[in-house]
Amino acid sequence: MGAGADLAGTTVLVAGAAAAARRAVRRYRAAGAAVRTVGSPAEYHSVLLGRVVLVALVEDGEPGWERLVADCRTCTVLLVREPAAAPGGRVTLVGGGPGPEDLLTGRALSALREADVVLYDRLGPHRELERLTGGAELVDVGKRPGHHAVPQDEIERLLVRAALEGHHVVRLKGGDPFVFGRGGEEVAACVRAGVEVSVVPGVTSAVSVPAAAGIPVTHRGVSHLFTVVSGHAPLTDAEHRHLAGLGGTIVVLMGVGTLPQLVAGLSGAGMDTTTPVAVVERGWSDSQRTTVSDLAGVVTDAAAARCTSPAVLVIGDVVRQAHGGRCAEPLAGIIRAAGGA
Ligand code: SAH
């Protein structure tokens, strides 16, 4: 009981030691109930049952709740047993995948269900969090139009503080936490503070967004390696040379803003300017769009199509393999148009 039930206007008594009961208290409040609490059998008195429609007895391992159970029977008050919240605070970094809820892993879903507090940002599945968590406190730390993102050190402070207060804190991140997600820094902050921390990997956009556009990042006989690069800041000449020399697929995240520098760098390093390039925007959303061009034309084409972030760039012959090669023919002449998902 709790998450799905509408208990608006009712009174629920949550019985059990405070630390063990905190999740149940939060869930019944989230379901709209006025929550009374009783922390131990010694504090219990039958008066507490007045106007109560439901008693949630938390399995806190303490003996002595028999009188409450008996009173519920006598007064025909419904009694449900609730599992105790795990003792001790901890942090779970959860990879949320590229957006849709059903690209969350089973382990990610369990972590969300067990969360007391969730820190999330706008990449990844955040719209359904209320339902997925059942009453956790939801904190948006991401950038939204007109708002500033919470700075990284502040996020780390929030994580650690909530865990030290005894909460299970989930840090939900887009894609995989360790792919340009600053997950490593958050793990380090927890370790420094002596907070238990674990990581749930996620479906990274580096592979899944090309896949959403039908593009395999490797393909037998075409590309046997792929390199994932951050375009957050322009690369150095040496990096452009190395990348161009690898001969495999190049996948760029956060690369829309620095696309001109990347193209100039790779062309200058000798990459074939007829190499296909795909810009996949808003992968897995209803407004997903793929713009296909080549190294020579992509800057102009992406500007003409007004490509914006979030987008994943795929540079390499695998782009011709999109949807099993169905795009190979038009690509030979270079598609300059944008296509839907
Ligand atoms: N940890 C994330 C990446 C964070 S960096 C992961 O593993 O996916 C943020 C960048 O990821 C965006 O700028 C964009 O390049 C890419 N990205 C994430 N989700 C995306 C989506 N649904 N569609 C297109 N690009 C996406």
Side-chain angles (χ1 to χ4, degrees):
M1 177 105 38
D6 181 6
L7 295 169
T10 67
T11 304
V12 171
L13 178 69
V14 178
R22 64 176 199 275
R23 295 217 60 216
V25 168
R26 183 166 288 133
R27 285 201 3 258
Y28 285 104
R29 283 206 179 117
V35 173
R36 277 182 209 163
T37 57
V38 53
S40 71
E43 290 167 26
Y44 169 70
H45 189 281
S46 56
V47 167
L48 284 170
L49 285 184
R51 287 198 307 278
V52 161
V53 297
L54 178 77
V55 169
L57 178 54
V58 178
E59 292 172 329
D60 64 358
E62 296 298 322
W65 289 110
E66 295 80 7
R67 204 155 49 86
L68 169 66
V69 175
D71 284 353
C72 285
R73 271 201 202 104
T74 313
C75 307
T76 59
V77 173
L78 204 59
L79 181 135
V80 291
R81 292 185 188 267
E82 293 279 348
R90 62 196 164 102
V91 169
T92 310
L93 259 61
V94 174
E101 182 184 323
D102 55 0
L103 286 175
L104 279 164
T105 64
R107 196 174 289 200
L109 288 171
S110 320
L112 286 169
R113 268 196 302 273
E114 291 162 12
D116 298 313
V117 183
V118 180
L119 273 64
Y120 67 97
D121 38 49
R122 79 215 140 101
L123 283 175
H126 57 272
R127 290 194 181 83
E128 301 297 327
L129 277 179
E130 235 161 88
R131 182 170 49 75
L132 295 176
T133 58
E137 184 187 337
L138 304 178
V139 185
D140 180 0
V141 293
K143 261 183 255 157
R144 285 160 301 151
H147 295 261
H148 284 297
V150 177
Q152 183 65 23
D153 56 350
E154 180 63 20
I155 292 175
E156 289 165 17
R157 261 200 301 280
L158 286 172
L159 280 176
V160 164
R161 194 177 64 206
L164 290 176
E165 283 168 2
H167 297 295
H168 176 207
V169 189
V170 163
R171 171 72 175 112
L172 180 66
K173 307 173 85 71
D176 182 275
F178 282 169
V179 178
F180 308 135
R182 307 193 75 167
E185 292 163 59
E186 292 170 12
V187 168
C190 292
V191 169
R192 273 197 307 274
V195 166
E196 185 190 326
V197 56
S198 58
V199 179
V200 178
V203 174
T204 180
S205 64
V207 177
S208 66
V209 170
I215 303 169
V217 290
T218 68
H219 192 84
R220 194 174 165 83
V222 176
S223 172
H224 64 187
L225 65 101
F226 65 100
T227 309
V228 182
V229 187
S230 164
H232 183 66
L235 303 180
T236 64
D237 287 345
E239 286 170 326
H240 287 130
R241 268 199 310 280
H242 290 310
L243 271 180
L246 276 169
T249 308
I250 303 171
V251 176
V252 188
L253 306 194
M254 300 177 279
V256 176
T258 54
L259 184 61
Q261 290 98 314
L262 181 69
V263 167
L266 292 176
S267 310
M271 184 181 266
D272 183 349
T273 55
T274 66
T275 306
V277 181
V279 183
V280 189
E281 298 167 84
R282 300 176 296 277
W284 298 99
S285 75
D286 292 341
S287 63
Q288 177 180 316
R289 181 173 73 154
T290 306
T291 304
V292 180
S293 182
D294 62 8
L295 201 61
V298 68
V299 172
T300 312
D301 291 343
R306 298 184 197 284
C307 290
T308 54
S309 184
V312 172
L313 317 178
V314 187
I315 305 172
D317 287 331
V318 289
V319 171
R320 293 183 205 280
Q321 302 299 325
H323 301 293
R326 268 198 292 134
C327 298
E329 278 317 301
L331 238 186
I334 303 307
I335 302 174
R336 299 210 185 268

